Short mmCIF file of all heavy atoms in Angstrom, two decimals:
data_model
loop_
_atom_site.label_atom_id
_atom_site.label_comp_id
_atom_site.label_asym_id
_atom_site.label_seq_id
_atom_site.Cartn_x
_atom_site.Cartn_y
_atom_site.Cartn_z
N ILE A 259 93.67 104.05 130.28
CA ILE A 259 92.44 103.95 129.48
C ILE A 259 91.25 104.49 130.27
O ILE A 259 90.41 105.21 129.75
CB ILE A 259 92.20 102.49 129.06
CG1 ILE A 259 93.32 102.02 128.13
CG2 ILE A 259 90.87 102.34 128.36
CD1 ILE A 259 93.35 100.54 127.91
N THR A 260 91.21 104.15 131.56
CA THR A 260 90.12 104.63 132.40
C THR A 260 90.13 106.15 132.47
O THR A 260 89.07 106.79 132.41
CB THR A 260 90.26 104.03 133.81
OG1 THR A 260 90.35 102.62 133.69
CG2 THR A 260 89.10 104.40 134.68
N THR A 261 91.34 106.72 132.58
CA THR A 261 91.43 108.18 132.63
C THR A 261 90.95 108.79 131.32
O THR A 261 90.23 109.80 131.34
CB THR A 261 92.89 108.59 132.91
OG1 THR A 261 93.33 107.89 134.06
CG2 THR A 261 92.98 110.08 133.17
N ILE A 262 91.32 108.19 130.19
CA ILE A 262 90.83 108.68 128.90
C ILE A 262 89.30 108.67 128.90
O ILE A 262 88.64 109.63 128.51
CB ILE A 262 91.36 107.80 127.75
CG1 ILE A 262 92.87 107.93 127.62
CG2 ILE A 262 90.69 108.19 126.43
CD1 ILE A 262 93.48 106.93 126.65
N SER A 263 88.75 107.58 129.39
CA SER A 263 87.30 107.43 129.43
C SER A 263 86.66 108.50 130.31
O SER A 263 85.67 109.12 129.92
CB SER A 263 86.98 106.03 129.95
OG SER A 263 85.64 105.75 129.85
N LEU A 264 87.23 108.72 131.49
CA LEU A 264 86.64 109.69 132.42
C LEU A 264 86.74 111.12 131.86
O LEU A 264 85.78 111.89 131.94
CB LEU A 264 87.31 109.61 133.79
CG LEU A 264 87.09 108.31 134.57
CD1 LEU A 264 87.81 108.36 135.91
CD2 LEU A 264 85.61 108.07 134.79
N VAL A 265 87.91 111.46 131.30
CA VAL A 265 88.07 112.82 130.75
C VAL A 265 87.13 113.01 129.57
O VAL A 265 86.49 114.06 129.43
CB VAL A 265 89.55 113.07 130.34
CG1 VAL A 265 89.68 114.40 129.63
CG2 VAL A 265 90.45 113.03 131.56
N THR A 266 87.00 111.96 128.73
CA THR A 266 86.08 112.04 127.59
C THR A 266 84.65 112.28 128.07
O THR A 266 83.95 113.14 127.54
CB THR A 266 86.13 110.73 126.78
OG1 THR A 266 87.47 110.47 126.42
CG2 THR A 266 85.27 110.82 125.54
N LEU A 267 84.25 111.52 129.09
CA LEU A 267 82.88 111.68 129.58
C LEU A 267 82.67 113.08 130.15
O LEU A 267 81.62 113.69 129.97
CB LEU A 267 82.58 110.63 130.65
CG LEU A 267 82.25 109.24 130.11
CD1 LEU A 267 82.17 108.24 131.24
CD2 LEU A 267 80.92 109.27 129.37
N TYR A 268 83.70 113.59 130.84
CA TYR A 268 83.58 114.94 131.40
C TYR A 268 83.41 115.97 130.28
O TYR A 268 82.48 116.78 130.30
CB TYR A 268 84.81 115.28 132.25
CG TYR A 268 84.82 116.72 132.71
CD1 TYR A 268 84.02 117.12 133.77
CD2 TYR A 268 85.57 117.68 132.05
CE1 TYR A 268 83.99 118.44 134.18
CE2 TYR A 268 85.55 119.00 132.44
CZ TYR A 268 84.76 119.38 133.51
OH TYR A 268 84.73 120.69 133.89
N LEU A 269 84.30 115.90 129.28
CA LEU A 269 84.23 116.87 128.17
C LEU A 269 82.92 116.73 127.40
O LEU A 269 82.32 117.70 126.99
CB LEU A 269 85.42 116.68 127.23
CG LEU A 269 86.79 117.02 127.80
CD1 LEU A 269 87.88 116.63 126.83
CD2 LEU A 269 86.88 118.51 128.12
N LYS A 270 82.49 115.48 127.23
CA LYS A 270 81.24 115.22 126.52
C LYS A 270 80.07 115.85 127.29
O LYS A 270 79.19 116.47 126.69
CB LYS A 270 81.06 113.71 126.37
CG LYS A 270 79.74 113.27 125.78
CD LYS A 270 79.80 113.25 124.28
CE LYS A 270 78.42 112.94 123.70
NZ LYS A 270 78.22 113.55 122.39
N SER A 271 80.09 115.67 128.62
CA SER A 271 78.98 116.20 129.42
C SER A 271 78.94 117.72 129.37
O SER A 271 77.90 118.33 129.57
CB SER A 271 79.09 115.72 130.86
OG SER A 271 80.13 116.41 131.51
N LYS A 272 80.10 118.33 129.10
CA LYS A 272 80.13 119.79 128.98
C LYS A 272 79.85 120.24 127.55
O LYS A 272 79.90 121.43 127.25
CB LYS A 272 81.50 120.33 129.42
CG LYS A 272 81.83 120.06 130.87
CD LYS A 272 81.06 120.99 131.79
CE LYS A 272 81.23 120.55 133.23
NZ LYS A 272 80.22 121.11 134.12
N GLY A 273 79.64 119.26 126.66
CA GLY A 273 79.25 119.60 125.29
C GLY A 273 80.40 119.93 124.36
O GLY A 273 80.21 120.58 123.35
N TYR A 274 81.61 119.48 124.70
CA TYR A 274 82.75 119.82 123.84
C TYR A 274 83.08 118.75 122.80
O TYR A 274 83.87 118.99 121.92
CB TYR A 274 84.00 120.07 124.69
CG TYR A 274 83.93 121.38 125.43
CD1 TYR A 274 83.71 121.42 126.79
CD2 TYR A 274 84.07 122.58 124.75
CE1 TYR A 274 83.63 122.62 127.48
CE2 TYR A 274 83.99 123.78 125.42
CZ TYR A 274 83.78 123.80 126.78
OH TYR A 274 83.69 124.98 127.43
N LEU A 275 82.52 117.57 122.95
CA LEU A 275 82.88 116.50 122.02
C LEU A 275 81.62 116.04 121.28
O LEU A 275 81.05 115.01 121.61
CB LEU A 275 83.52 115.33 122.78
CG LEU A 275 84.85 115.58 123.45
CD1 LEU A 275 85.22 114.41 124.34
CD2 LEU A 275 85.95 115.79 122.42
N GLU A 276 81.20 116.84 120.28
CA GLU A 276 79.94 116.51 119.64
C GLU A 276 80.02 115.23 118.82
O GLU A 276 79.02 114.58 118.58
CB GLU A 276 79.47 117.67 118.76
CG GLU A 276 80.54 118.13 117.79
CD GLU A 276 80.01 119.18 116.83
OE1 GLU A 276 78.82 119.14 116.54
OE2 GLU A 276 80.81 120.02 116.38
N ASN A 277 81.23 114.85 118.37
CA ASN A 277 81.34 113.67 117.52
C ASN A 277 81.54 112.38 118.31
O ASN A 277 81.61 111.31 117.73
CB ASN A 277 82.49 113.84 116.54
CG ASN A 277 82.18 114.89 115.52
OD1 ASN A 277 81.20 114.78 114.79
ND2 ASN A 277 82.97 115.95 115.51
N VAL A 278 81.64 112.51 119.63
CA VAL A 278 81.79 111.30 120.43
C VAL A 278 80.41 110.79 120.80
O VAL A 278 79.60 111.53 121.35
CB VAL A 278 82.62 111.59 121.69
CG1 VAL A 278 82.62 110.39 122.61
CG2 VAL A 278 84.04 111.96 121.32
N ASN A 279 80.13 109.54 120.45
CA ASN A 279 78.82 108.98 120.79
C ASN A 279 79.00 107.82 121.76
O ASN A 279 80.12 107.50 122.17
CB ASN A 279 78.09 108.55 119.52
CG ASN A 279 78.90 107.59 118.69
OD1 ASN A 279 79.54 106.70 119.24
ND2 ASN A 279 78.88 107.75 117.39
N THR A 280 77.89 107.18 122.12
CA THR A 280 77.98 106.11 123.12
C THR A 280 78.80 104.92 122.61
O THR A 280 79.30 104.14 123.41
CB THR A 280 76.59 105.62 123.53
OG1 THR A 280 75.84 105.37 122.35
CG2 THR A 280 75.88 106.63 124.39
N SER A 281 78.94 104.79 121.28
CA SER A 281 79.74 103.68 120.77
C SER A 281 81.22 103.86 121.10
O SER A 281 81.92 102.89 121.39
CB SER A 281 79.56 103.58 119.26
OG SER A 281 78.25 103.23 118.95
N HIS A 282 81.71 105.10 121.05
CA HIS A 282 83.09 105.35 121.45
C HIS A 282 83.27 105.02 122.92
O HIS A 282 84.26 104.40 123.32
CB HIS A 282 83.47 106.81 121.22
CG HIS A 282 83.46 107.23 119.78
ND1 HIS A 282 82.42 107.93 119.22
CD2 HIS A 282 84.35 107.03 118.79
CE1 HIS A 282 82.68 108.15 117.95
NE2 HIS A 282 83.84 107.61 117.64
N ILE A 283 82.30 105.45 123.72
CA ILE A 283 82.35 105.17 125.15
C ILE A 283 82.32 103.67 125.39
O ILE A 283 83.06 103.13 126.23
CB ILE A 283 81.15 105.85 125.86
CG1 ILE A 283 81.12 107.35 125.57
CG2 ILE A 283 81.16 105.58 127.35
CD1 ILE A 283 82.30 108.10 126.07
N HIS A 284 81.48 103.00 124.61
CA HIS A 284 81.36 101.55 124.73
C HIS A 284 82.70 100.88 124.45
O HIS A 284 83.13 99.98 125.18
CB HIS A 284 80.30 101.08 123.73
CG HIS A 284 79.91 99.65 123.89
ND1 HIS A 284 78.76 99.14 123.36
CD2 HIS A 284 80.51 98.61 124.50
CE1 HIS A 284 78.68 97.85 123.65
NE2 HIS A 284 79.75 97.52 124.33
N ASP A 285 83.39 101.34 123.41
CA ASP A 285 84.70 100.75 123.08
C ASP A 285 85.71 100.96 124.20
O ASP A 285 86.45 100.05 124.58
CB ASP A 285 85.22 101.34 121.77
CG ASP A 285 84.92 100.44 120.58
OD1 ASP A 285 83.92 99.72 120.66
OD2 ASP A 285 85.69 100.45 119.61
N LEU A 286 85.74 102.18 124.73
CA LEU A 286 86.67 102.45 125.83
C LEU A 286 86.34 101.56 127.03
O LEU A 286 87.23 101.01 127.68
CB LEU A 286 86.57 103.92 126.26
CG LEU A 286 87.31 104.92 125.37
CD1 LEU A 286 86.96 106.33 125.80
CD2 LEU A 286 88.81 104.71 125.47
N SER A 287 85.04 101.37 127.28
CA SER A 287 84.64 100.54 128.42
C SER A 287 85.05 99.09 128.22
O SER A 287 85.45 98.41 129.16
CB SER A 287 83.14 100.60 128.62
OG SER A 287 82.71 101.93 128.64
N LYS A 288 84.99 98.65 126.95
CA LYS A 288 85.43 97.28 126.68
C LYS A 288 86.92 97.13 126.97
O LYS A 288 87.36 96.10 127.49
CB LYS A 288 85.14 96.91 125.22
CG LYS A 288 83.71 96.50 124.99
CD LYS A 288 83.52 95.91 123.61
CE LYS A 288 83.37 96.99 122.59
NZ LYS A 288 82.94 96.50 121.26
N PHE A 289 87.68 98.17 126.63
CA PHE A 289 89.11 98.13 126.95
C PHE A 289 89.33 98.12 128.46
O PHE A 289 90.18 97.39 128.97
CB PHE A 289 89.84 99.31 126.32
CG PHE A 289 90.29 99.05 124.90
CD1 PHE A 289 89.65 99.62 123.84
CD2 PHE A 289 91.36 98.21 124.66
CE1 PHE A 289 90.05 99.36 122.54
CE2 PHE A 289 91.77 97.94 123.37
CZ PHE A 289 91.11 98.53 122.31
N MET A 290 88.55 98.94 129.18
CA MET A 290 88.67 98.96 130.64
C MET A 290 88.40 97.57 131.21
O MET A 290 89.12 97.08 132.08
CB MET A 290 87.65 99.94 131.25
CG MET A 290 88.03 101.38 131.16
SD MET A 290 86.61 102.46 131.39
CE MET A 290 86.18 102.15 133.09
N PHE A 291 87.36 96.97 130.69
CA PHE A 291 86.96 95.64 131.15
C PHE A 291 88.04 94.60 130.82
O PHE A 291 88.52 93.87 131.69
CB PHE A 291 85.63 95.27 130.47
CG PHE A 291 85.14 93.89 130.74
CD1 PHE A 291 84.58 93.57 131.96
CD2 PHE A 291 85.21 92.91 129.76
CE1 PHE A 291 84.11 92.29 132.21
CE2 PHE A 291 84.74 91.62 130.01
CZ PHE A 291 84.19 91.32 131.23
N GLY A 292 88.44 94.58 129.56
CA GLY A 292 89.40 93.58 129.11
C GLY A 292 90.75 93.70 129.80
O GLY A 292 91.31 92.70 130.25
N ILE A 293 91.25 94.93 129.91
CA ILE A 293 92.58 95.09 130.50
C ILE A 293 92.53 94.89 132.01
O ILE A 293 93.51 94.46 132.61
CB ILE A 293 93.19 96.45 130.13
CG1 ILE A 293 93.13 96.69 128.63
CG2 ILE A 293 94.65 96.55 130.58
CD1 ILE A 293 93.94 95.76 127.76
N SER A 294 91.38 95.15 132.63
CA SER A 294 91.23 94.84 134.06
C SER A 294 91.42 93.34 134.27
O SER A 294 92.07 92.91 135.23
CB SER A 294 89.84 95.23 134.57
OG SER A 294 89.76 96.60 134.76
N ILE A 295 90.85 92.57 133.37
CA ILE A 295 90.97 91.12 133.50
C ILE A 295 92.38 90.67 133.16
O ILE A 295 92.93 89.77 133.80
CB ILE A 295 89.89 90.43 132.64
CG1 ILE A 295 88.55 90.67 133.32
CG2 ILE A 295 90.16 88.95 132.48
CD1 ILE A 295 87.36 90.37 132.49
N PHE A 296 92.99 91.35 132.20
CA PHE A 296 94.39 91.06 131.88
C PHE A 296 95.29 91.32 133.09
O PHE A 296 96.18 90.53 133.41
CB PHE A 296 94.83 91.92 130.69
CG PHE A 296 96.25 91.72 130.27
CD1 PHE A 296 96.70 90.50 129.83
CD2 PHE A 296 97.15 92.77 130.32
CE1 PHE A 296 98.02 90.32 129.45
CE2 PHE A 296 98.46 92.60 129.94
CZ PHE A 296 98.90 91.37 129.50
#
Side-chain angles (χ1 to χ4, degrees):
Chain A
I259 296 167
T260 306
T261 308
I262 294 171
S263 188
L264 294 180
V265 173
T266 305
L267 281 172
Y268 173 77
L269 293 173
K270 174 87 186 151
S271 74
K272 297 284 171 198
Y274 287 107
L275 295 170
E276 52 174 331
N277 291 300
V278 172
N279 56 41
T280 49
S281 295
H282 295 101
I283 304 298
H284 189 162
D285 262 28
L286 281 172
S287 310
K288 279 190 278 190
F289 273 106
M290 282 162 66
F291 175 75
I293 309 295
S294 283
I295 288 166
F296 179 62

